[in-house]
Amino acid sequence: MKKTGIWLYLLLIFALSPTIAEEAQPVETEESSSSAEETEYMAWAKSLWASLDRQKGDIVLPQGNATLHVPATFYYLNPADTEKVLVDVWGNPPGSETLGMLFSTDVTPFDDNAWGVTIAYEEDGYVSDENAKDIDFGELLQQMQEDTRVASSERQKQGYEAIELVGWAAQPYYDEATKKLYWAKELKFGEAVQENTLNYNIRVLGRKGVLLLNFIAGMNQKALIDGQVNSVLAMAEFNPGSRYEEFDPEFDKVAAYGIGALVAGKVMAKTGLFAVALIFLKKYGVLLLFGIAALFGKLFKRKATTA
């Protein structure tokens, strides 16, 4: 009876072994899946950050008609690296044509409190400032809001979030002595983004075109950006031969638009299209998808300040 009992016991164990082995396998929980995604994202983010060529000093912009004097407190990204940040990190549509981007050295593009300055140039000719004092900026805002609605509709057809121009964050101001134009817009992207985006715009007039510097930040950073405007303006200058005062009416082309159109964004005079490519989203909370924004900030903060 003992031998029979032992064999029956062994047969029972053998029969149940597949079930026991199956139950012993680790079950993939939501927590383990999230951890794997975090690890994968962190590896991608570290790789992208390491690939960015962060430059300082005198930077001759790709089109060669202007120079940036980048101090130790900032770093410059070339156009290719800027595209990585705008598209891959901040979630903008691809194909933006910039001359690069500026960042403060105390942030990386991945940080929730990051802000940056895109750089571009429009060579449509000499922009006359003759009627700058006559512009009704209230009426101009209404026109811009309608243009934004049209642009937003096209953007949504491409699968991107809607854009709404909420209003002025800083009303336009033109400094006739320095030939520089300032204004700021408050923008809302889609419904999911809780914080509105600040687009602080600067235009530096030149002999053959305009240098465009656009701050991208959250509305809660407006005071910070206000304190950085003069520093950024001091970095940019047109090279000799391209400066506003060197305009020669006998040889140089005059732009088909004036100061008001610069503010409105209608810089493509031939088509009359709204220049939505110059409106970029700072995608706050992009890292909160995995709840690791604070961790990422700690990992990269030192690298950003010593770059």
Side-chain angles (χ1 to χ4, degrees), residues 213-255:
L213 304 174
N214 290 343
F215 287 81
I216 305 172
M219 282 304 301
N220 66 346
Q221 294 176 295
K222 184 177 181 298
L224 171 65
I225 301 306
D226 284 340
Q228 297 289 340
V229 170
N230 288 335
S231 296
V232 173
L233 276 173
M235 296 183 208
E237 67 172 351
F238 280 104
N239 296 333
S242 296
R243 293 169 182 167
Y244 194 82
E245 61 272 18
E246 296 173 305
F247 170 70
D248 187 338
E250 293 187 13
F251 301 99
D252 297 332
K253 172 186 174 182
V254 177

Side-chain angles (χ1 to χ4, degrees), residues 49 52-56 70-77 101-109 304 307:
W49 171 251
L52 299 179
D53 181 18
R54 301 180 294 279
Q55 304 175 49
K56 298 179 181 180
V70 183
T73 52
F74 280 81
Y75 59 93
Y76 165 82
L77 298 181
M101 199 167 181
L102 290 165
F103 282 94
S104 173
T105 52
D106 62 358
V107 295
T108 77

Side-chain angles (χ1 to χ4, degrees), residues 270-307:
K270 292 182 180 179
T271 61
L273 294 176
F274 183 64
V276 293
L278 300 178
I279 299 178
F280 297 115
L281 165 66
K282 166 62 179 72
K283 201 159 191 174
Y284 281 85
V286 65
L287 295 178
L288 295 180
L289 176 64
F290 302 121
I292 58 172
L295 172 62
F296 193 89
K298 291 177 182 178
L299 288 175
F300 287 92
K301 186 66 69 178
R302 181 169 295 181
K303 290 185 180 180
T305 56
T306 59

Side-chain angles (χ1 to χ4, degrees), residues 84-249:
K84 292 179 186 178
V85 170
L86 293 176
V87 177
D88 297 338
V89 182
W90 288 3
N92 290 275
S96 58
E97 296 182 3
T98 73
L99 299 183
M101 199 167 181
L102 290 165
F103 282 94
S104 173
T105 52
D106 62 358
V107 295
T108 77
F110 301 90
D111 295 329
D112 281 344
N113 64 338
W115 57 273
V117 184
T118 58
I119 307 162
Y121 177 69
E122 293 290 345
E123 191 168 307
D124 291 328
Y126 173 89
V127 178
S128 173
D129 62 355
E130 184 178 355
N131 299 318
K133 295 180 180 179
D134 301 328
I135 300 172
D136 184 338
F137 289 114
E139 182 180 336
L140 183 61
L141 175 62
Q142 293 180 2
Q143 176 189 334
M144 291 169 62
Q145 288 173 323
E146 177 57 32
D147 286 342
T148 305
R149 281 189 284 271
V150 173
S152 178
S153 177
E154 291 301 315
R155 180 183 169 95
Q156 287 179 285
K157 290 177 183 177
Q158 298 174 20
Y160 293 96
E161 294 172 310
I163 305 174
E164 178 189 354
L165 173 54
V166 178
W168 298 126
Q171 184 161 309
Y173 172 76
Y174 177 62
D175 187 334
E176 187 175 359
T178 62
K179 307 301 179 184
K180 295 173 181 177
L181 175 66
Y182 314 76
W183 77 94
K185 298 174 289 189
E186 180 178 355
L187 300 167
K188 180 176 177 59
F189 286 80
E191 297 299 328
V193 180
Q194 296 181 352
E195 182 181 2
N196 288 351
T197 292
L198 172 69
N199 267 125
Y200 203 119
N201 304 271
I202 298 170
R203 300 293 180 265
V204 183
L205 305 188
R207 176 181 177 178
K208 298 180 179 180
V210 180
L211 195 63
L212 299 81
L213 304 174
N214 290 343
F215 287 81
I216 305 172
M219 282 304 301
N220 66 346
Q221 294 176 295
K222 184 177 181 298
L224 171 65
I225 301 306
D226 284 340
Q228 297 289 340
V229 170
N230 288 335
S231 296
V232 173
L233 276 173
M235 296 183 208
E237 67 172 351
F238 280 104
N239 296 333
S242 296
R243 293 169 182 167
Y244 194 82
E245 61 272 18
E246 296 173 305
F247 170 70
D248 187 338

